[in-house]
Structure formats: structure tokens, C-alpha cells
Amino acid sequence: MAEPLIRLSGITKTFGEGPAAFRALRGVDLDVAEGDFVAIMGASGSGKSTTMNILGCLDTPTSGRFVFKGVEVQALDRDQRALLRRRYLGFVFQGFNLLARTSALENVELPLLYRGESGARRRALAMAALDKVGLVAWAHHAPNELSGGQQQRVAIARAIVTSPAVLLADEPTGNLDSERSLEIMALLTELNREAGITVLMVTHEPDMAAHARTVVRFRDGLVERIEVQG
Amino acid sequence: MLGTTILLAFREIRRHLMRSFLTVLGVVIGVFSVITMVTLGNGATASVRQSISALGSDMLQVRPGQSTGPGGGSGTAVAPFKLEDIAAIRSQIAGVVAVAGQAQVAATAVRNAQNWSTSVTGSSNDFFVAQKLAFSAGRPFTPAEEQSGRSVCVIGSTIARNLFQGVDPVGQAMRVRTISCEVVGVLAERGQSGFAGDQDDTVVMPIKAVQRRMTGNHDVRAIIVGVDPAFDSSAIKASLVALMRERRRLTSTEADDFSVLDSRQISDTIASTVGLLTVLVGAVAGISLLVGGIGIMNIMLVSVTERTREIGVRLAIGALGHEVLLQFLVEAVVLSCLGGLIGIVLALVTCLIVAPLMGLPFLFDPSINVLSFAFSALIGVVFGYFPARRAAALNPIEALRYD
Ligand SMILES: Nc1ncnc2c1ncn2[C@@H]1O[C@H](COP(=O)(O)OP(=O)(O)OP(=O)(O)O)[C@@H](O)[C@H]1O
Ligand SMILES: [Mg+2]
């Protein structure tokens, strides 16, 4: 079998020190193949977000190996990890994390700015991404003028505007009604099928997990079960 | 990359107009107050120095009585000087270039229908020499005029302007009190002085003329002594005191019943007082600079929470730590420099308007401009930059969670 795109082995994460220390991850092993669509499920506090943050190079594990595209990520320094994020990863946060007082368009353009794209190309790519999430008409509105669902879609547009190899989405439908949730799921499915983006998504809802090819279940900081759906 | 960073910095400034405005305001207030106060203070010092130098340097004034306390000497009857004292000083003290006695009366000068209240000084040509007064027309007194006490006069430019109105006063007659006198000379304009008032509002006549026809006695109210700059004025002052004590027959236990003022000493004392005042004003201004700085500091620190999350977002979507920092640095530098420039311009405009109103010269002091600008800019940059540096050193996820 070919080397997987992502390999986590023996990943642990401890928050705090001494008697107050809390082991959020206790040795996570997980392989994700290129082009897969993975749903991560599990009880609240089971370590899903912590794992996603490590996968997104936003946080570092306490111990264990994280191999991404054959690169040992734990050996990289801050800037090398930032470059990894910039080139390959798109992240959708549980709480959107859009820049306030900044139009949807500018929010979506931001990752391109850091990639050094020209103004015209930034605008074209950002509009294309907003088009994909159906928000072209809202391009010039600031986040506080958008609904929760719209903000979530801006966050997705920002994550996919760089055509990342991997899209990491932490509860992308957590704040949405079922109709909006289905729209987001359709979008993620399309990105996975058509653009070949590897998608990892945290969700509490079995309905949403049903869209994924692989379902990973977490329990108490460990991967409990991995199911591949037909 | 730098272009992108500058673009981002300007976007942030525009997006947080209130915060940007307050930061700029803090710098503006600090820079403005320091420059204004110090510039006006320097103007005041210069103006005082100027009026002191108008009194004449290298000059000693001898007055009867002790003028150490307020009104000192004027209450008790102290013997005035005599014309013989003048001759004695001239012949017995080395290093003296001019000795002029003064008798002074207030008088109304009249020519045709014009009246002008002024003061008349009875003196000699040494009066002009000691005070380094120049003539714009005519001549000083002749020895014969001085000797006989003829009614001739030398007038200041204010008198020339107000009584003669365009006519050349030299050779013309005017009336001082009841005496008719001929104008022989006009003094060059000296201008306003801080305490002496209009120095050109003066009439000088031979002292004998004033004594005989106006004061009616032989008193000399003051003696001014012009000192050769090559001589030590304090040594001359000492021999002057010794001579006057002898002439006034004071025993060694009696205190001086006259005083000798050294114009150089007076000017140094006053100048150092004014200098001290400038330092005080500068200190007050420095405090306002500090307050402005604390204002900037506050705004920068208050926005740290919000900005830390923003830094987290930027890092999470692919910014490198130093790129974010550079953006914050550019932002802080732009705001601080903008505030500094506005402060400088405002201060200079204010000084240009206010200085003439206060009768002060406008003296541009580059060092205080540079200093206050640099200080405010430094505060802006330091407090814009260091919180950002701390935030940029966090893991992106820590920065995002910061509160
Ligand atoms: N920064 C932190 N400091 C201390 N403890 C933390 C921190 N982040 C997470 N934890 C703890 O780690 C555990 C796992 O958190 P995590 O956010 O991964 O859970 P989750 O599975 O995403 O839960 P949810 O479904 O509620 O989002 C939780 O018990 C949480 O309290
Ligand atoms: Mg979570």
C-alpha cells in the first residue's frame, strides 16, 4: 500500500503541568489516504478538535509522529509549519474566526495575500471561491452583516481559495440548521470529488457523517474505531 | 512582500479609524505641547536677553542708596552725587572709557501744536558712549555746549516722529517745559525693551542745562560708567566702591550708602532666571509628552486582546510570524510619524501666530522638534510592536484562544 497522505502515530497531547495536567490525546494512530473524505465523531471532550489542530499545524503534539506528504512535521520549526499551512492546508474553525470589520472578499483574499498573489488574481480567485459557496452577492459585507451560515460559508471559501491539498473543517455545520448543513455537506462532497481535495471533518451528527467515506470515532483521547462506508 | 505588508498595515489603520485616531492624537498632543512651550520659552529668553543687551553691556551704574530690597534706599534721604564725583571717577579709575552723570526730569515737549510727554535726561556725550548709542542724524554735544549748559538736545526717534512728522529735526527748535531748545542730533532707533518700555522716547540735554533750568540743584541722580571690555569689570567695580566710600566719607563700620550695578552681572542673573523658567516650562511640556505617551500605550495595550486573535487568524491561514510583526511595526510607525508630523506642523503654526501676539521672536529649535518627535514615535512603535511580538510568538491556536 502507498504511503498515506497523513499518518499520525502515537500522538499524545497534554494540557497543563503537574497535578493539573490533562491528557487530551493518549496515543492517537490514524492514516488518511489522499482524496479521502473523513468524518471524525466522538463525545464532547474526546479530543477531536485537539487532533484537528495538530493536523492543521496550529498546535504541536506533546509526543508522537505526524507525517504529512512524507515530511516529519514534529521536526519542523514555526516558519516551516506556517509554510506548510500556507501551501497545503485549509482550515475551517469551529467559531469561523473571520476578521471583524473586514469584507467577505477581503477575508477570502487574505491567504492569497500571504502567498504573494497579485491583486487582480487575488480578486479573481476570491470571487471564484465565494461563487462556489454562493456568496458573490455578499462579497462586500462585513461578517457582522452576515448570518451564521453565511459566515461559515465565507470561512469555507477562505479555506479553499488556495486550492489546498487538505481541507480541515471543525464542526462546519455545528451552528447551522439542517437545510444549510446539507448545502455545506454538498459543497464539501463536491470539493472532495471534483477538486480531489482530501477532506477531514469533525461532526456530531450521523446525518452529516453519512456523506463521508471514512468515519473515525474518538473516545477519551484515543481512536476507538475506523469505519469505511460503502 | 513589503508592499503587501504596507497594504495590510494601511487597511488596518483604515479599519480601526477610532483607534488610529486616538493613537495619532496622543502623539500630536505630546509633540505639539513640547514644541510650542519650548519654542515660546526660547523666544521669551531671547527677548529678555535682547532688552538686557539694549541696556548696554560693559557698563556699571552707580546709584545713591542701597537698592537691595524692594524700595530700598528711596525712603531715607541719601546724599546724591555731585559733578565732582564724575570728574574723580574719570581721573582716578583705570579701564573706564566713559563716565556720565544723570539728572532726570519728566517733561512735556512741545513743537507747534504737538505735545509729547517724555522724560528728559541731563547728561553728557559719555552717556552716548557708555550706552553705545548711535546717531541717525546730527551730532552729539560740543564741549562748549556741555561746559556752558546750553539749551541743546539730542532726541530719540519716537520724539522725532511724533513732534517733527517728516521734517528733519536737526537745527529745529522745540520747547521742553518752558525752555526753548535746539535739536542738534537724533539717536538711531533702539526699539521696545521688556522693562525699559520705548527706549526711543527720550530727550537728552547737557546736564548743566537740566540742573540749572529744570531741577534747580546740582544733584546727580546716577552715574553710568562705560568699562573697557579688556578690563575686569568686577575689579573696576571694587575700585569704584572704594573711591565712592572715600568721597562720601564713610567709616569702615558704615555700610555703603550707594550701590553699583554691573550690567553684565544683571544680564547674567536675569538670563539664568529666564533660562530656569524655560527649563520648568520644558518640564511641564515633557509631562504632557509623557501623558500623550501613556495615552498611546493604553490604546495599544487595550487592543491587544482583539489583535492577538487577529494575529492567530493570520498565522492560521498561512502568515509567517515575522510578516505579521512587520505589518504591526509598519502600522505603529505610520501612525506615530503621522502624529509627530501633525504635532510639529500645529506647534510651528501656533508659535508663528502666538509669538508676535506676545511680542516674542519666533525661534525655531530643531533639536526639540527632533527630540519630541523621536520620543513619541518611539513610544508608539514600542507599544505597537512589543505586544504584537508576544502574540506572534504564540502557537496559532493559543493566539486564537487568547482572552
Ligand atoms: N488549551 C487547553 N487547555 C486545557 N485543556 C484543554 C485545552 N484544549 C482542550 N482541552 C481539553 O482537552 C479535551 C479535549 O478537547 P477537544 O477540544 O479536543 O474536545 P472535542 O472533542 O473537540 O470536544 P467538542 O466536541 O466539545 O468540541 C477537553 O477535555 C478539553 O477540556
Ligand atoms: Mg471541538
Side-chain angles (χ1 to χ4, degrees), chain A residues 15 22 24 43-50 94 171 204, chain B residues 401:
Chain A
F15 291 109
F22 180 80
S44 184
S46 56
K48 307 181 294 292
S49 293
T50 307
Q94 206 165 349
E171 302 197 36
H204 282 286
Chain B
R401 286 225 186 90

Side-chain angles (χ1 to χ4, degrees), chain B residues 66-335:
Chain B
Q66 273 296 336
S67 63
T68 44
S74 57
T76 50
V78 181
F81 304 119
K82 298 291 171 200
L83 285 175
E84 294 73 45
D85 293 326
I86 298 170
I89 293 171
R90 193 176 282 136
S91 60
Q92 293 179 36
I93 294 180
V96 160
V97 294
V99 185
Q102 271 177 277
Q104 204 135 18
V105 290
T108 305
V110 183
R111 179 183 172 266
N112 294 345
Q114 305 292 327
N115 282 303
W116 191 260
S117 293
T118 184
S119 80
V120 177
T121 304
S123 195
S124 65
N125 283 339
D126 274 9
F127 180 78
F128 310 122
V129 176
Q131 296 191 80
K132 301 188 179 78
L133 302 182
F135 282 72
S136 66
R139 57 169 177 82
F141 310 125
T142 64
E145 284 165 349
E146 287 191 347
Q147 210 46 56
S148 60
R150 271 197 56 195
S151 298
V152 289
C153 61
V154 170
I155 59 175
S157 58
T158 300
I159 307 283
R161 194 171 39 248
N162 288 292
L163 289 188
F164 292 90
Q165 293 163 331
V167 180
D168 181 6
V170 177
Q172 302 279 329
M174 67 178 206
R175 217 153 37 75
V176 179
R177 287 204 178 161
T178 56
I179 312 153
S180 169
C181 74
E182 184 198 343
V183 178
V184 295
V186 181
L187 292 172
E189 184 148 350
R190 281 194 284 169
Q192 291 284 335
S193 148
F195 13 78
D198 180 1
Q199 303 181 92
D200 300 313
D201 185 4
T202 185
V203 174
V204 186
M205 291 175 75
I207 190 165
K208 282 185 178 166
V210 172
Q211 285 175 335
R212 191 169 63 234
R213 309 188 65 170
M214 294 192 211
T215 63
N217 56 38
H218 288 95
D219 295 350
V220 173
R221 277 288 147 207
I223 301 172
I224 54 179
V225 179
V227 174
D228 183 339
F231 282 73
D232 178 6
S233 69
S234 56
I236 292 179
K237 184 177 171 181
S239 33
L240 198 58
V241 169
L243 176 65
M244 292 314 290
R245 286 186 66 89
E246 186 192 319
R247 292 188 61 81
R248 291 165 84 83
R249 303 193 205 302
L250 297 176
T251 64
S252 59
T253 52
E254 282 175 296
D256 293 351
D257 64 350
F258 62 93
S259 58
V260 180
L261 300 178
D262 183 341
S263 68
R264 203 182 298 162
Q265 193 182 321
I266 300 171
S267 85
D268 285 352
T269 310
I270 297 182
S272 75
T273 309
V274 175
L276 189 70
L277 225 70
T278 307
V279 169
L280 277 178
V281 167
V284 170
I287 291 173
S288 51
L289 189 65
L290 204 67
V291 170
I294 291 171
I296 303 168
M297 216 159 83
N298 265 338
I299 295 156
M300 292 292 190
L301 290 179
V302 163
S303 63
V304 163
T305 308
E306 183 189 339
R307 308 220 79 177
T308 301
R309 288 211 192 90
E310 179 197 324
I311 288 171
V313 171
R314 290 182 187 278
L315 291 173
I317 62 176
L320 300 179
H322 67 84
E323 290 169 346
V324 174
L325 265 184
L326 190 64
Q327 176 202 325
F328 276 65
L329 189 63
V330 169
E331 201 183 315
V333 168
V334 166
L335 288 180

Side-chain angles (χ1 to χ4, degrees), chain A residues 13 15 49-50 53 56-60 78-83 85-86 89 91 93 97-103 106-107 109-111 113-114 116-117 122 158, chain B residues 1 4-5 7-8 11-12 14-17 19 306 309-310 312-324 327 391-398 400-401:
Chain A
K13 179 72 184 177
F15 291 109
S49 293
T50 307
N53 292 338
C57 297
L58 301 174
D59 208 354
T60 45
R78 285 175 59 78
D79 278 356
Q80 287 170 320
R81 272 182 278 132
L83 290 172
R85 286 198 292 275
R86 180 187 285 189
L89 303 176
F91 206 100
F93 297 93
N97 277 323
L98 299 174
L99 288 188
R101 279 176 276 191
T102 305
S103 72
E106 278 183 313
N107 261 296
E109 275 187 20
L110 212 51
L113 244 162
Y114 287 117
E117 303 283 5
R122 277 202 311 266
R158 184 178 65 185
Chain B
M1 190 57 231
T4 307
T5 308
L7 172 77
L8 283 171
R11 268 195 199 170
E12 277 313 299
R14 194 158 33 90
R15 192 165 293 142
H16 302 278
L17 271 184
R19 186 175 73 201
E306 183 189 339
R309 288 211 192 90
E310 179 197 324
V313 171
R314 290 182 187 278
L315 291 173
I317 62 176
L320 300 179
H322 67 84
E323 290 169 346
V324 174
Q327 176 202 325
L394 295 172
N395 261 334
I397 204 72
E398 286 164 345
L400 283 168
R401 286 225 186 90

Side-chain angles (χ1 to χ4, degrees), chain A residues 7-24:
Chain A
R7 164 162 288 172
L8 298 180
S9 45
I11 293 286
T12 70
K13 179 72 184 177
T14 306
F15 291 109
E17 274 167 29
F22 180 80
R23 296 186 68 199

